[in-house]
Amino acid sequence: MCGIVGILQTGLKPEQWEYYLGSMSDSLVHRGPDDAGLWYDAEAGIGLGHRRLSIVDLSPLGRQPMISKSGRYYISYNGEVYNFDRLREELQSFGHTFIGHSDTEVLLAAIEQWGLEESTKRFIGMFAFALWDRHERVLHLVRDRLGIKPLYYGWLGKAFIFGSELKALRAHPEFNGNINRDALALMMRHNYIPAPYSIYRGIYKLLPGHILTLNSSTGSTPRPTPYWTAREIAEHGAANPFTGSETEAASVLDDLLRDAVGLRMVADVPLGAFLSGGIDSSLVVALMQVQSNRPVKTFSIGFHEQGYNEAEHAKAVANYLGTDHTELYVTPEQAMAVIPKLPTLYDEPFSDSSQIPTFLVSELARRYVTVSLSGDGGDELFGGYTRYKAVQELWRKIGWVPPMGRRILAKVLSATPTKLLDSIFGWLGPVLGKYGRPGATGDKLHKLAEILTVDCPEAMYREMISHWKKPAVLVPGAIEPLTVLTDSTQWAALLDFIHQMMYLDTLTYLPDDILTKVDRASMGVSLEARVPLLDHRVVEFAWQVPLNMKLRDGQGKWLLRQILYKYVPQSLIERPKMGFGVPIDSWLRGPLREWADSLLDERRLREEGFFNPRPIREKWTEHLSGQRNWQSYLWDVLVFQAWLEKNS
């Protein structure tokens, strides 16, 4: 795992290349504390920088930027190609020889043998890399299929610049980022900024599964082209479903997962795994343990607050599997101490509050290992989110009601204080608990009111995943851009809407929230996080699995559960789904109140000019009084305000 940077620009002097690339590269030292390298060709107008976190081939033979054996290609590469040993054997049969045993050297040989796109399709892994073709004088930027590794790019006048994180682009001496209000509106809706947008105008994220090719004379950015798309995979899976039995499906998936996990256990440094005790992380750890001749190192953190602690479940699974388990119970003070670090860790505004425990468990793991496997991806692939079933059930229950009737009911619920709703409808708590984290009945009924007026299940899904429902009103001058969620021309041809929601989450929530959160938290402490459930072979098979093998009896991830129960007793796993969160709601009313008061000051909001203060102040007042729990809405604003304070 590493950090990459680069510049495409003619007319720079050698000292400028050294200074610009050095400044950008040094900003990513946390991604690569073990080594650094720069290469540039002033005449061609190309320069690459690299920060190295040594994982495979710790010797200088793995140093980057690296040149191919023929001298045609230079590469700066972030990530891992896990099947590099298999590819090396195949390449040796074509006469290729290798001086080291890094996967970078194999990547270059593969590209020389098969070409860029064909090689990339053969890679099993997570990666973002820059490849300079000295013959054609073109630069290629490539990102892995699911968007596990990040890559930002854009123009600064005559300079095209790129890097693993925005802080690398900001480190360019001529960078003067203008905040993109339209992207800010998207962030207020989603708590993240969807690709290809970024918080800065003219700076973009390369879409997962895409290649961007350009040369220094273009002066503009060509449209990235896909080499792999979730849409094609989803549609192919729907058209060619798995026709075997449930037992056969479980056997195929077990074999795929075992190989995916085994490949990700290859490292020349200490390795472990995050363990929450949930289905996904428990399955990953179980498959690691059956392939290891020693106890796997596992890590979990716990909270003393009821409803937020999974550590006891993780410990039970660890004890059963016999792992070398380390847990840390975190105090509110320790958790809140992470908050000042967020604007630097997530150098684009990002407000999924589970970023806090994710950083803490990464920090814990880094004390003992350099690589940690994670269970992310199971929910999107196998129907694990409660909203999938919730949208289907709610629409079935309210879709027949005339729109006028739903609007009247929504107004009544919205106008009724939450405490009164609690006293009248408290008995509904267990029922409403099926649709998300257990909480106050009145608050959930208010949230229900927000989605009662929609006219189709697609709109209900969008409302359910939205925070601020009208963010363009909140952000003056903003026009909310189209995203895959609002542009139905980008949707896959899937007959089942649950599968459509899973597809949309795979394109948006998975790379732009979940994987962003894990990448920045882990790399912030120089820890490599690997996600075996997102091996593209697993993803492709998952889309062939019929829905009734994913969702059954109101539960998601049915097929994953069947595999897990071969390794871990069902009694240790079966419990209500719990998010990986922290009690932001109560912190804002208590120890974080002074901090939040300052950032949400009405005069400050008005003078900065990014927000309409009125709806924010209304929600802040209601939250402090206990009338409503507006933690997600307020956290979106607070995170941006803290980021602005740090980066303005």
Side-chain angles (χ1 to χ4, degrees):
M1 195 69 63
C2 307
I4 68 171
V5 302
I7 303 171
L8 189 64
Q9 182 181 8
T10 56
L12 293 182
K13 299 176 181 178
E15 60 268 23
Q16 290 176 300
W17 281 112
E18 296 281 350
Y19 177 50
Y20 291 176
L21 288 172
S23 298
M24 295 171 69
S25 179
D26 288 347
S27 73
L28 300 180
V29 64
H30 55 286
R31 296 188 75 93
D34 297 329
D35 196 8
L38 301 177
W39 169 83
Y40 60 89
D41 181 338
E43 189 272 329
I46 179 67
L48 303 176
H50 190 265
R51 293 293 323 194
R52 185 183 183 196
L53 177 64
S54 302
I55 302 294
V56 175
D57 192 348
L58 310 186
S59 76
L61 295 176
R63 174 172 288 176
Q64 297 184 50
M66 184 181 289
I67 189 171
S68 65
K69 199 151 193 178
S70 72
R72 176 173 179 175
Y73 298 106
Y74 264 98
I75 194 171
S76 186
Y77 156 56
N78 168 31
E80 302 284 353
V81 168
Y82 303 112
N83 61 328
F84 74 100
D85 271 339
R86 299 171 187 176
L87 290 172
R88 176 188 279 127
E89 289 182 10
E90 189 175 358
L91 288 163
Q92 285 172 331
S93 71
F94 289 106
H96 290 268
T97 58
F98 300 89
I99 60 172
H101 67 276
S102 74
D103 57 339
T104 311
E105 194 178 358
V106 173
L107 259 70
L108 286 168
I111 292 167
E112 290 201 317
Q113 178 66 40
W114 297 303
L116 175 60
E117 185 168 338
E118 178 59 31
S119 297
T120 304
K121 290 178 179 179
R122 293 171 180 252
F123 298 157
I124 299 172
M126 55 180 186
F127 46 82
F129 62 84
L131 182 79
W132 175 251
D133 184 336
R134 300 175 79 187
H135 289 186
E136 300 294 331
R137 289 205 168 189
V138 295
L139 172 69
H140 304 283
L141 300 182
V142 186
R143 193 175 180 199
D144 65 60
R145 298 168 179 84
L146 279 303
I148 303 170
K149 292 292 101 187
L151 191 55
Y152 292 85
Y153 66 89
W155 287 92
L156 288 185
K158 295 181 180 180
F160 178 84
I161 63 174
F162 59 89
S164 296
E165 296 181 21
L166 276 178
K167 57 174 62 70
L169 278 64
R170 283 203 306 266
H172 189 289
E174 296 178 11
F175 186 85
N176 184 17
N178 295 314
I179 290 177
N180 185 341
R181 287 177 177 271
D182 299 343
L184 177 57
L186 287 175
M187 188 246 173
M188 291 297 108
R189 180 180 292 279
H190 298 296
N191 84 28
Y192 59 84
I193 298 175
Y197 309 107
S198 86
I199 192 60
Y200 296 116
R201 290 195 178 279
I203 303 297
Y204 301 95
K205 304 180 183 86
L206 184 60
L207 290 169
H210 280 66
I211 299 174
L212 175 66
T213 300
L214 73 166
N215 61 55
S216 57
S217 63
T218 60
S220 61
T221 307
R223 191 180 184 89
T225 57
Y227 64 87
W228 186 96
T229 71
R231 180 173 184 167
E232 289 182 359
I233 298 306
E235 291 177 346
H236 180 269
N240 302 274
F242 182 79
T243 56
S245 67
E246 294 168 351
T247 301
E248 290 169 332
S251 177
V252 171
L253 183 56
D254 192 0
D255 288 344
L256 281 172
L257 289 172
R258 189 181 291 245
D259 188 59
V261 168
L263 285 175
R264 285 157 181 81
M265 293 174 68
V266 176
D268 296 334
V269 292
L271 175 141
F274 301 138
L275 179 60
S276 70
I279 294 163
D280 303 335
S281 67
S282 297
L283 180 55
V284 167
V285 170
L287 292 172
M288 290 176 73
Q289 193 58 72
V290 297
Q291 298 180 80
S292 176
N293 57 12
R294 66 184 69 179
V296 171
K297 294 182 182 295
T298 54
F299 306 94
S300 66
I301 61 168
F303 294 94
H304 297 288
E305 289 86 351
Q306 188 176 4
Y308 292 89
N309 182 41
E310 288 191 304
E312 57 193 37
H313 305 298
K315 186 175 183 178
V317 172
N319 287 340
Y320 183 83
L321 292 173
T323 71
D324 179 4
H325 189 60
T326 302
E327 64 178 13
L328 173 68
Y329 272 78
V330 179
T331 66
E333 291 74 23
Q334 288 173 300
M336 285 184 286
V338 176
I339 293 173
K341 302 176 183 178
L342 296 179
T344 302
L345 277 171
Y346 299 87
D347 56 353
E348 178 172 63
F350 176 81
S351 52
D352 180 340
S353 61
S354 63
Q355 61 200 155
I356 296 173
T358 303
F359 174 79
L360 289 167
V361 75
S362 297
E363 191 175 48
L364 172 66
R366 189 60 179 93
R367 299 176 193 170
Y368 303 90
V369 300
T370 310
V371 175
S372 185
L373 273 63
S374 177
D376 297 294
D379 289 305
E380 291 82 1
L381 296 179
F382 294 95
Y385 292 126
T386 54
R387 60 175 171 266
Y388 297 148
K389 194 68 175 174
V391 169
Q392 186 182 60
E393 288 185 357
L394 283 172
W395 184 251
R396 187 170 65 244
K397 290 175 181 177
I398 69 171
W400 62 272
V401 178
M404 179 62 74
R406 285 188 269 123
R407 282 195 290 270
I408 292 171
L409 178 57
K411 285 183 179 180
V412 171
L413 288 174
S414 298
T416 307
T418 55
K419 290 184 180 179
L420 181 57
L421 290 172
D422 283 339
S423 63
I424 298 173
F425 298 106
W427 55 275
L428 280 174
V431 177
L432 294 173
K434 294 191 300 181
Y435 304 128
R437 180 189 286 276
T441 300
D443 201 59
K444 285 190 175 292
L445 288 172
H446 270 253
K447 291 177 181 177
L448 175 63
E450 294 176 343
I451 62 174
L452 277 176
T453 57
V454 299
D455 56 4
C456 60
E458 291 85 353
M460 179 177 286
Y461 163 72
R462 185 164 182 260
E463 289 294 296
M464 191 171 282
I465 62 172
S466 295
H467 289 202
W468 293 87
K469 311 303 181 188
K470 298 179 180 179
V473 174
L474 181 69
V475 184
I479 299 174
E480 198 173 349
L482 277 178
T483 68
V484 66
L485 293 169
T486 51
D487 181 6
S488 59
T489 64
Q490 298 185 55
W491 293 19
L494 301 170
L495 296 178
D496 190 287
F497 189 63
I498 289 182
H499 264 151
Q500 191 71 262
M501 288 186 284
M502 292 164 60
Y503 163 75
L504 293 173
D505 278 346
T506 299
L507 288 185
T508 57
Y509 183 68
L510 178 63
D512 295 322
D513 186 312
I514 300 299
L515 296 176
T516 295
K517 174 184 65 180
V518 173
D519 175 80
R520 304 306 191 279
S522 59
M523 292 310 299
V525 294
S526 305
L527 175 75
E528 176 172 303
R530 298 176 174 180
V531 280
L533 297 185
L534 293 180
D535 186 302
H536 75 275
R537 299 168 301 166
V538 175
V539 174
E540 290 169 2
F541 179 71
W543 278 106
Q544 292 185 287
V545 172
L547 188 61
N548 67 0
M549 291 190 197
K550 297 173 183 174
L551 280 160
R552 186 172 297 187
D553 300 326
Q555 277 190 328
K557 297 192 279 197
W558 182 84
L559 191 59
L560 285 183
R561 293 171 192 265
Q562 307 318 301
I563 300 171
L564 177 59
Y565 298 155
K566 292 169 53 179
Y567 305 101
V568 179
Q570 184 173 346
S571 59
L572 293 183
I573 300 298
E574 291 301 336
R575 62 183 185 278
K577 185 175 176 63
M578 183 186 297
F580 195 35
V582 288
I584 294 290
D585 55 343
S586 59
W587 289 358
L588 290 177
R589 297 187 185 102
L592 290 181
R593 178 169 177 171
E594 184 177 346
W595 171 77
D597 260 330
S598 173
L599 293 174
L600 301 181
D601 177 76
E602 183 170 0
R603 181 177 177 180
R604 176 176 182 167
L605 292 171
R606 200 173 302 282
E607 289 177 350
E608 290 170 343
F610 290 103
F611 293 118
N612 173 6
R614 183 175 177 180
I616 296 171
R617 295 299 304 178
E618 287 175 352
K619 284 180 169 49
W620 182 228
T621 300
E622 288 181 359
H623 187 85
L624 289 177
S625 70
Q627 285 180 262
R628 289 293 307 272
N629 177 7
W630 292 116
Q631 67 169 31
S632 358
Y633 292 69
L634 294 168
W635 192 245
D636 295 337
V637 178
L638 287 165
V639 163
F640 174 78
Q641 289 292 97
W643 175 87
L644 183 66
E645 185 175 65
K646 180 75 174 179
N647 294 286
S648 58

